[in-house]
Amino acid sequence: MTPRRAFEVFLTAPPGLELALKDEAQAAGFAKPKATPGGVRFRGHWPDVWRANLALRGAGRVLARVARFQAMHLDQLEARTREIGWTDLLRPDVPVTVEATTRKSKIYHQGAAAERVARAIHHVTGAPLEGENPVRIQLRIEDNQCLLSLDTSGAPLHRRGQKPFVGKAPIRETLAALFLRQCGYTGTEPVLDPMCGSGTFLLEAAEIALGRAPGRDRSFAFERFANFDASAWQDLKGGQTDTRTTLHFHGSDRDAGAVAGARSNAATAGLGDLITILHHAVSDLQHPDGPPGLVMVNPPYGTRIGERKQLFGLYGALGKTFAERFTGWRVGLVTTDAGLANATALPFTDPGPPVAHGGLRITLWQTGPLP
Ligand SMILES: C[S@@+](CC[C@H](N)C(=O)[O-])C[C@H]1O[C@@H](n2cnc3c(N)ncnc32)[C@H](O)[C@@H]1O
């Protein structure tokens, strides 16, 4: 992979949200992104990889596809891996680790496959195979076809680097951003979350309104690659100023700890003036001043036995509050359970596809503007 030649970039997405991520990549100006199971691919260059990490809210990781080849046995895998231009990519002082999966292939031992690739890379670059914070290389073998990818992100991209309080059952930032996008949110209307927990929906929505890059406060694996251009990266990152907005974002929760945590998250992100978090139960929720916008909420799911019954009452009360007090607002509700969503009696359109999240399958339910 010479630096000048375009290569395949793969953005990982939770299954079910590939199309939303494709839309985001398209809107961000990446060339002809295509949704495929588990993510979105497009052809690009290294500055595209850096910008995707910096700017996309919905991608879980950004992978650079380094090579594809056929290998029928381990010696062949090792030999082909040695032929790749690793020295353009990896530094001799940065440790690497290889993760392998194999399916329907002559090479079936994942551990052995990973070891051979690691050995080949070490042979070519001198990069240590042990050490803190290694660069991750992925090997996928399917039908004897090997695909080698570099994880250019490092820590997963939902770790934005500016949210100290995590809360009890937070939604991942990347999912929150994609659900907001699926609700048509573009940063031009207020958002309200009456069960805001750590405030993820509000933080994402406010940042979208300000046009901020989600990756501005964190580091990435690609900063330790051989081809990293620190000054081009600074040019890409630098000079960003917030878009002016008069919008306001409203959160509340009945849990005092969540309220304190969400407030501190908003303050840490420099969003204290834009986001108000109140301490009350959803039954005390009032319509905020200002224009209508989007209610975005993920209520408790009730995965434990016995909880589900109680939750019918809670979802019913939630739906009643919106129906009575939120004329003109749209609702986006994320939950695991169609029965609970229906208990709100809100006029939902067809639900989105189920999305894997922390061992659960969650679904977005949406309404148009409430009558
Ligand atoms: C699944 S969590 C929401 C997580 C949040 N989206 C985040 O990213 O951190 C559900 C939240 O609903 C709150 N909650 C439960 N019952 C409530 C009620 N009756 N009124 C207000 N908040 C409630 C809980 O305290 C919890 O913070």
Side-chain angles (χ1 to χ4, degrees):
M1 189 164 65
T2 59
R4 261 182 271 273
R5 209 163 345 118
F7 53 92
E8 191 173 287
V9 181
F10 189 77
L11 314 170
T12 67
L17 287 175
E18 295 93 341
L19 283 174
L21 179 57
K22 188 201 104 174
D23 283 354
E24 188 190 5
Q26 203 153 19
F30 293 102
K32 298 190 196 152
K34 297 207 175 43
T36 137
V40 172
R41 59 188 159 84
F42 66 88
R43 293 193 70 75
H45 296 87
W46 281 98
D48 298 308
V49 168
W50 306 337
R51 190 165 73 82
N53 275 294
L54 176 67
L56 293 176
R57 289 192 170 270
R61 289 180 185 281
V62 181
L63 305 179
R65 303 290 207 206
V66 176
R68 281 176 207 273
F69 53 84
Q70 191 182 59
M72 307 303 280
H73 53 79
L74 288 168
D75 286 345
Q76 200 176 18
L77 172 67
E78 188 169 340
R80 297 297 308 264
T81 303
R82 281 191 192 201
E83 289 165 13
I84 297 164
W86 293 110
T87 49
D88 292 342
L89 299 169
L90 299 173
R91 286 184 1 204
D93 58 325
V94 176
V96 295
T97 186
V98 179
E99 290 168 10
T101 55
T102 84
R103 275 188 73 220
K104 295 192 276 176
S105 299
K106 299 248 188 227
I107 299 175
Y108 59 87
H109 192 309
Q110 300 183 166
E115 212 178 290
R116 290 299 194 98
V117 167
R119 197 160 85 180
I121 293 173
H122 173 71
H123 177 88
V124 177
T125 64
L129 301 180
E130 273 176 20
E132 296 263 300
N133 200 10
V135 166
R136 239 168 36 96
I137 290 148
Q138 269 188 11
L139 167 68
R140 301 252 176 281
I141 312 181
E142 195 162 339
D143 292 324
N144 304 310
Q145 296 299 318
C146 304
L147 174 61
L148 277 165
S149 307
L150 269 178
D151 173 9
T152 73
S153 302
L157 295 179
H158 72 266
R159 300 213 191 122
R160 310 287 199 218
Q162 71 268 104
K163 193 176 159 207
F165 173 76
V166 176
K168 282 188 200 127
I171 189 141
R172 218 177 292 140
E173 287 73 0
T174 42
L175 287 190
L178 291 174
F179 285 138
L180 283 163
R181 173 167 284 274
Q182 285 192 314
C183 288
Y185 184 72
T186 56
T188 56
E189 61 189 329
V191 171
L192 177 143
D193 181 350
M195 295 179 166
C196 69
S198 59
T200 317
F201 282 125
L202 302 168
L203 294 163
E204 289 298 310
E207 295 235 326
I208 292 168
L210 293 172
R212 288 185 178 175
R216 67 190 182 282
D217 285 337
R218 54 161 281 167
S219 60
F220 299 95
F222 65 72
E223 292 173 57
R224 295 182 303 134
F225 289 1
N227 62 5
F228 178 57
D229 180 340
S231 88
W233 174 233
Q234 279 316 319
D235 288 349
L236 198 62
K237 263 175 85 167
Q240 288 213 340
T241 48
D242 287 348
T243 307
R244 288 166 75 92
T245 182
T246 54
L247 293 175
H248 208 83
F249 300 85
H250 313 272
S252 51
D253 202 289
R254 71 168 178 197
D255 182 295
V259 170
R263 282 180 185 155
S264 100
N265 284 341
T268 306
L271 298 169
D273 293 343
L274 258 63
I275 300 180
T276 304
I277 313 280
L278 301 176
H279 181 205
H280 59 70
V282 82
S283 44
D284 295 325
L285 182 66
Q286 294 303 325
H287 185 302
D289 292 338
L294 176 67
V295 174
M296 203 66 213
V297 61
N298 73 310
Y301 306 136
T303 42
R304 269 171 269 145
I305 296 164
E307 271 178 351
R308 188 167 179 265
K309 235 187 202 161
Q310 278 181 358
L311 287 177
F312 273 92
L314 179 62
Y315 278 67
L318 188 68
K320 191 161 177 278
T321 303
F322 296 152
E324 286 174 358
R325 303 182 203 160
F326 283 78
T327 300
W329 288 69
R330 305 187 322 285
V331 177
L333 179 137
V334 176
T335 187
T336 49
D337 188 322
L340 289 173
N342 289 327
T344 63
L346 289 169
F348 290 123
T349 54
D350 288 344
V355 176
H357 181 46
L360 302 171
R361 282 158 77 77
I362 56 177
T363 299
L364 172 67
W365 299 75
Q366 295 185 56
T367 72
L370 294 175

